Amino acid sequence: MINPLLELKEVSYKNKNNFTLNKLSLRIKSGEKIALLGKSGAGKTTLISILNGTLKPNKGRVKLFNTEFDKLNLYQKSKISTIWQDLRLIEDLSAEQNVNCGLLGKQSFLFAFKNLLNISSFNKAHQYMQVCNLKKSIFSKNIRKISGGQKQRVAIARSLIQESDILLADEPFNNLDPKLTSNIKNLLLITKNKNKIKVPNTTLISLHRLDLLDGFNRIIGMKNGEILFDLEKTKLKKYHLNKIY
Amino acid sequence: MNKLKLNSSSITFLQILVCIPIAYELFINFHIGGIELFKEFIISAFNPKINNEIIFTLVKRLNETIFIAFFSWLISIIFGVIFGILSSEIFYKILNLPIFLKRFLNLFLTFIRSIHEIIWGLILLQIYGINFSIGIIAICIPYVAINAKVFSEQIENINLKTIESIKQINGIKSSTLITLVWAPVIETFKNFGLYRLECAIRSTAVLGLFGIGGIGTSIFLSFQTLNFRELWTYLWGLAFLIIISKKLLKRFNLSNTSKNFLTSFVIALFCISLFSLSFFVYFIFNKNAIPFNSINNLLISNFNFISYDFLKLLLETIVLCLLSTGIAISFPPIFILILNNKIGITIIRIISFLFRLIPPPVLILLLLMFNDPSISLAAITLGLHNAAITSKLLLANLHNQDNKQYIAMKSLGVAKRSSWLFGLFVKQSKSYLAYCAYRSEIIIRETAILGVIGGVGLGWQLQESLSSFAWEEVLVILFAYSSIAIIGELINGKIKSNLT
């Protein structure tokens, strides 16, 4: 049996607002393209936060590369990148500085310092920003001064530049028009791309729009903090969706 | 019967009630012995002494002032940022350090902050004798703690989710920390740090009055010899320095500077930090500390000092704080309301500039020409000096405020003053009171200066105890000052959180 990249075992979590995840178990293998479906408040964001180690479960185990999350070193942890639903960019920095922040896991302190002083190299950041359909004119603009769709793509570029193995994305197509949605979806799901940039081989994306399910090979449905179904894309039927919506 | 309901506007105006006891005491103590001197002082403002000797002294003293103020400002900003980061929660979250270290550091900084630079200056003077470095160190000690508080408050405002997202990139901890704190530090430096240079110049001038050097020393010497024309030459020189420094700093824009300049600036900051740290260590362990050994007496002394007199002085200091704060809060809106036209506002601006310019110790000495020393005299001095600062802020905020409501009220035929009150001031009153709450913390610290000169409160006793090297008394007074300041800070924190 192939070892999973990321594994949840009987994970339970309860937050201050009494929202709970109940004994979730999940195995994510290399190369999987997973769509995470569910209504707002179903627990998708909480699940993603547990998968990337931001939230610690009250019970159960989270393993990455078959190692307990707490025992991982920074290099191993940096193999996961996340696109947050609320983007979580640094408001006072420029778009290119924000994208460069994605390189913090691989670079020294001097790089971080030079990035803040605006004297570091932005070549790689620009490459990823262009791939995310961002125009050159916004590269050096302050993040406060760009539109919601542009911010969304800056956040995507920041996570892609990490060149991680696993990408966790929480509703990454918000704020994007249909054409951009299609482009970005293809970018996130197709590993070999013409842009010669490394895109994570394994992806878990939370979605609301069912018309975007093409390209995924596994679908997970959540409701009230529980996984109601977890199946291959080809086996998804309408009644599965009725369960969660 | 309807209950009296207080809002932030009425609270602002009601503070004027402090004038009743102040006016009564000032009236009782009034004399006209110094009226001729005061006339001469006013006339000299328009006729300052200008000759080669005075100009040479002025330039020399201004150079000293710039040197002390600039270095103390720069060092206090650099270490303010460092301690600001160290006393913010984010530092302990990212480095996974125990949070009690933060609380311990905050307590230490609160103590350092609560004691005015004049007191630090006087203590250092007693320990090390007259030394040029004392000015820099005396200003740096409380300024580092004040700056650290402001920087740390801004750093604490970083969105928790942003912290999580950068932490999740899993860079080395120092990279994560600097990436997160950079923007609030730079923003605070632009909004607050540059203004601190003006404060450092004022503090240098006040310290100079106590013989530490700079323009303040010349101001005090001219005042002592009643040479008012010479005094005004130095005061206008100080005004010129403050205005020029403000203009220069306004032009300084970090985001528009070239990469080479920025790199050199960072290297220079780093060198200054290292230099100042080594200088500080050298200064502390220098063998010039002549009577420092007498501090050993503390260990064997018995604290007989805590007596009725001490409690009386403590009470006087608290009353002085309350009265001065009342004046600082109520005077600006009342005078703007009364003199609500262009000429009136210009007069308020000029008078408030003069009250900011003349150091409080000189101001109280001027007022002593008409009045005997009393709490009221000290309160009016401190109140007027701080009212000049709060009025500057209030006028600037009123100017930047949207005045649609004011125009609408005027177009309805409402009287100009009523329109100003309900159309403009009401919107500002909360933030104005919140700023005044912060200002009152400074007033608490400043009571020390007037105490030393005006013979009231703990400041006077401190001067006495320092002169006689009674270190046990000094320690008790410092503890008392610190306690008042810490309690004041806690109360103001509550007020500010209710207002904002």
Side-chain angles (χ1 to χ4, degrees):
Chain A
M1 196 175 129
I2 304 165
N3 272 338
L5 275 183
L6 193 55
E7 186 180 14
L8 296 191
K9 259 188 185 174
E10 303 261 304
V11 163
S12 296
Y13 175 79
K14 191 175 182 180
N15 70 10
K16 285 174 191 167
N17 303 324
N18 279 335
F19 174 80
T20 49
L21 290 185
N22 293 322
K23 291 187 176 178
L24 295 189
S25 292
L26 189 65
R27 292 159 69 90
I28 298 173
K29 285 172 273 178
S30 177
E32 283 191 305
K33 309 287 179 193
I34 306 167
L36 184 62
L37 302 178
K39 282 203 283 192
S40 295
K44 303 188 295 290
T45 304
T46 310
L47 177 62
I48 287 175
S49 302
I50 288 175
L51 285 170
N52 68 21
T54 307
L55 292 179
K56 283 188 178 174
N58 305 111
K59 276 183 188 169
R61 288 174 166 186
V62 184
K63 283 184 175 179
L64 178 68
F65 308 123
N66 217 18
T67 311
E68 294 277 342
F69 216 98
D70 293 339
K71 291 172 186 165
L72 294 169
N73 60 32
L74 282 178
Y75 176 75
Q76 287 170 314
K77 282 182 184 172
S78 71
K79 294 290 176 186
I80 301 182
S81 62
T82 309
I83 301 166
W84 301 89
Q85 187 182 5
D86 49 3
L87 309 182
R88 305 189 182 185
L89 298 166
I90 300 179
E91 291 282 304
D92 297 285
L93 299 184
S94 67
E96 57 194 6
Q97 282 175 309
N98 263 288
V99 175
N100 254 359
C101 283
L103 291 169
L104 291 179
K106 293 191 167 73
Q107 299 280 354
S108 65
F109 174 76
L110 192 65
F111 171 82
F113 196 52
K114 280 163 78 179
N115 182 40
L116 295 166
L117 286 175
N118 228 349
I119 52 173
S120 69
S121 163
F122 290 108
N123 291 342
K124 197 168 182 181
H126 291 169
Q127 192 191 351
Y128 276 84
M129 290 168 92
Q130 274 169 338
V131 169
C132 292
N133 295 90
L134 284 162
K135 286 181 184 163
K136 279 184 181 174
S137 57
I138 74 122
F139 285 1
S140 58
K141 270 194 180 169
N142 188 292
I143 214 75
R144 286 181 205 271
K145 292 177 183 164
I146 63 176
S147 72
Q150 287 166 334
K151 281 183 192 174
Q152 185 78 46
R153 282 172 282 156
V154 170
I156 293 169
R158 184 179 75 176
S159 69
L160 289 180
I161 205 171
Q162 289 180 54
E163 297 181 340
S164 59
D165 291 344
I166 306 165
L167 172 71
L168 306 172
D170 196 356
E171 299 181 24
F173 310 120
N174 286 350
N175 306 312
L176 300 181
D177 62 37
K179 197 181 168 194
L180 279 171
T181 302
S182 169
N183 288 350
I184 298 293
K185 197 189 91 175
N186 288 338
L187 177 69
L188 299 183
L189 294 181
I190 300 167
T191 317
K192 284 177 187 170
N193 57 62
K194 60 183 178 185
N195 303 301
K196 292 178 184 172
I197 62 161
K198 193 193 166 200
V199 174
N201 183 33
T202 310
T203 317
L204 181 142
I205 299 177
S206 87
L207 287 173
H208 272 305
R209 287 174 54 188
L210 301 176
D211 59 314
L212 297 176
L213 289 180
D214 284 348
F216 290 95
N217 51 29
R218 183 176 163 190
I219 315 290
I220 297 173
M222 284 188 81
K223 193 175 183 180
N224 297 333
E226 287 181 27
I227 293 177
L228 292 192
F229 61 83
D230 181 355
L231 37 83
E232 283 175 29
K233 162 78 189 329
T234 49
K235 291 177 182 168
L236 182 74
K237 303 288 178 205
K238 201 174 178 186
Y239 73 87
H240 287 122
L241 297 173
N242 288 340
K243 274 188 191 175
I244 54 167
Y245 288 112
Chain B
M1 204 175 103
N2 287 336
K3 277 186 180 174
L4 177 69
K5 281 185 182 172
L6 291 176
N7 57 26
S8 48
S9 305
S10 50
I11 291 171
T12 308
F13 286 104
L14 277 174
Q15 307 280 332
I16 196 72
L17 291 176
V18 299
C19 284
I20 298 171
I22 292 176
Y24 176 73
E25 195 174 14
L26 289 179
F27 181 73
I28 289 176
N29 292 330
F30 185 76
H31 61 79
I32 52 164
I35 199 85
E36 283 303 315
L37 278 176
F38 188 70
K39 236 165 58 184
E40 200 186 323
F41 174 79
I42 297 292
I43 292 164
S44 304
F46 304 98
N47 184 25
K49 196 172 186 177
I50 297 170
N51 61 37
N52 287 345
E53 195 189 338
I54 288 286
I55 297 295
F56 177 76
T57 315
L58 176 70
V59 171
K60 188 175 155 235
R61 292 299 194 185
L62 282 180
N63 274 339
E64 287 171 12
T65 307
I66 293 168
F67 181 81
I68 296 173
F70 182 75
F71 273 94
S72 51
W73 169 73
L74 198 57
I75 294 165
S76 64
I77 285 287
I78 293 167
F79 286 95
V81 171
I82 294 169
F83 282 105
I85 295 170
L86 291 177
S87 59
S88 62
E89 212 164 314
I90 186 173
F91 177 79
Y92 298 87
K93 268 188 183 163
I94 289 172
L95 273 77
N96 294 329
L97 292 170
I99 204 82
F100 77 88
L101 291 172
K102 174 196 171 228
R103 292 193 192 113
F104 182 74
L105 181 66
N106 273 342
L107 192 71
F108 171 71
L109 289 174
T110 308
F111 172 74
I112 298 282
R113 190 168 51 236
S114 65
I115 296 165
H116 196 272
E117 51 270 22
I118 292 295
I119 301 184
W120 287 115
L122 290 173
I123 293 171
L124 290 169
L125 260 178
Q126 291 296 334
I127 297 172
Y128 293 101
I130 288 187
N131 185 320
F132 201 64
S133 319
I134 282 174
I136 297 175
I137 294 175
I139 294 173
C140 277
I141 295 172
Y143 270 42
V144 165
I146 292 168
N147 295 345
K149 188 189 176 198
V150 178
F151 279 109
S152 132
E153 277 174 357
Q154 295 308 311
I155 291 168
E156 298 286 22
N157 285 338
I158 302 172
N159 190 335
L160 196 70
K161 288 181 174 176
T162 310
I163 300 174
E164 279 175 357
S165 75
I166 297 296
K167 261 181 92 174
Q168 209 276 319
I169 293 167
N170 293 304
I172 51 171
K173 287 172 180 175
S174 52
S175 299
T176 307
L177 182 69
I178 195 172
T179 302
L180 284 166
V181 302
W182 182 263
V185 163
I186 294 295
E187 205 53 33
T188 314
F189 175 72
K190 281 185 202 163
N191 297 335
F192 169 80
L194 297 178
Y195 155 76
R196 292 302 290 173
L197 178 61
E198 191 187 329
C199 299
I201 294 173
R202 288 185 208 287
S203 293
T204 309
V206 175
L207 274 168
L209 303 177
F210 295 88
I212 284 166
I215 195 88
T217 304
S218 293
I219 289 173
F220 197 66
L221 289 175
S222 338
F223 196 92
Q224 272 190 327
T225 51
L226 302 177
N227 199 337
F228 293 133
R229 285 187 63 210
E230 207 175 290
L231 171 74
W232 273 105
T233 310
Y234 297 130
L235 281 176
W236 289 131
L238 179 63
F240 175 75
L241 180 64
I242 291 171
I243 292 166
I244 287 290
S245 66
K246 264 161 80 175
K247 296 273 177 210
L248 281 175
L249 287 173
K250 265 188 188 169
R251 285 168 170 263
F252 182 71
N253 189 345
L254 269 178
S255 52
N256 288 347
T257 43
S258 73
K259 290 180 178 180
N260 286 341
F261 175 78
L262 214 52
T263 316
S264 327
F265 182 69
V266 170
I267 293 168
L269 280 187
F270 181 72
C271 293
I272 289 170
S273 320
L274 277 184
F275 168 75
S276 51
L277 197 65
S278 54
F279 175 75
F280 186 73
V281 171
Y282 166 79
F283 186 84
I284 293 297
F285 295 104
N286 191 351
K287 293 189 174 60
N288 289 342
I290 316 151
F292 196 66
N293 286 337
S294 56
I295 215 158
N296 292 337
N297 297 340
L298 275 178
L299 302 171
I300 50 167
S301 68
N302 50 352
F303 285 76
N304 293 330
F305 180 62
I306 305 166
S307 61
Y308 169 75
D309 281 344
F310 176 73
L311 291 174
K312 186 175 158 263
L313 292 174
L314 191 68
L315 194 67
E316 268 184 16
T317 308
I318 295 169
V319 172
L320 176 57
C321 292
L322 294 174
L323 294 177
S324 318
T325 307
I327 292 170
I329 294 174
S330 60
F331 271 31
I334 285 174
F335 279 98
I336 296 170
L337 180 69
I338 295 168
L339 304 169
N340 197 355
N341 55 50
K342 273 189 179 175
I343 299 169
I345 298 294
T346 312
I347 292 170
I348 291 173
R349 281 186 199 280
I350 293 169
I351 292 176
S352 64
F353 176 76
L354 287 173
F355 276 123
R356 286 198 303 273
L357 175 69
I358 301 172
V362 174
L363 197 59
I364 198 169
L365 288 174
L366 280 172
L367 294 176
L368 279 168
M369 291 174 182
F370 307 99
N371 237 275
D372 298 332
S374 64
I375 297 178
S376 297
L377 194 73
I380 196 93
T381 310
L382 205 51
L384 285 174
H385 179 72
N386 282 285
I389 295 164
T390 51
S391 69
K392 186 188 173 193
L393 177 100
L394 182 61
L395 283 169
N397 286 353
L398 288 169
H399 180 73
N400 296 331
Q401 190 184 311
D402 176 23
N403 62 353
K404 278 180 198 159
Q405 219 169 326
Y406 170 70
I407 292 167
M409 288 183 83
K410 265 178 69 179
S411 68
L412 288 170
V414 179
K416 199 179 174 186
R417 287 192 179 104
S418 303
S419 305
W420 178 85
L421 190 61
F422 296 105
L424 283 176
F425 182 70
V426 166
K427 274 188 184 174
Q428 279 297 325
S429 56
K430 269 193 175 183
S431 59
Y432 174 69
L433 265 186
Y435 175 76
C436 287
Y438 157 75
R439 197 72 220 164
S440 68
E441 287 171 23
I442 297 170
I443 291 174
I444 294 172
R445 298 170 61 242
E446 283 182 343
T447 52
I449 321 172
L450 292 189
V452 171
I453 298 273
V456 286
L458 290 167
W460 172 79
Q461 181 60 50
L462 181 77
Q463 176 81 308
E464 293 284 305
S465 306
L466 277 170
S467 307
S468 52
F469 300 109
W471 292 109
E472 65 274 28
E473 290 180 8
V474 172
L475 198 72
V476 173
I477 294 165
L478 289 186
F479 180 73
Y481 257 125
S482 192
S483 309
I484 299 172
I486 290 167
I487 292 166
E489 214 171 281
L490 289 172
I491 294 169
N492 286 330
K494 289 273 176 203
I495 294 172
K496 274 188 271 183
S497 64
N498 284 335
L499 286 168
T500 49

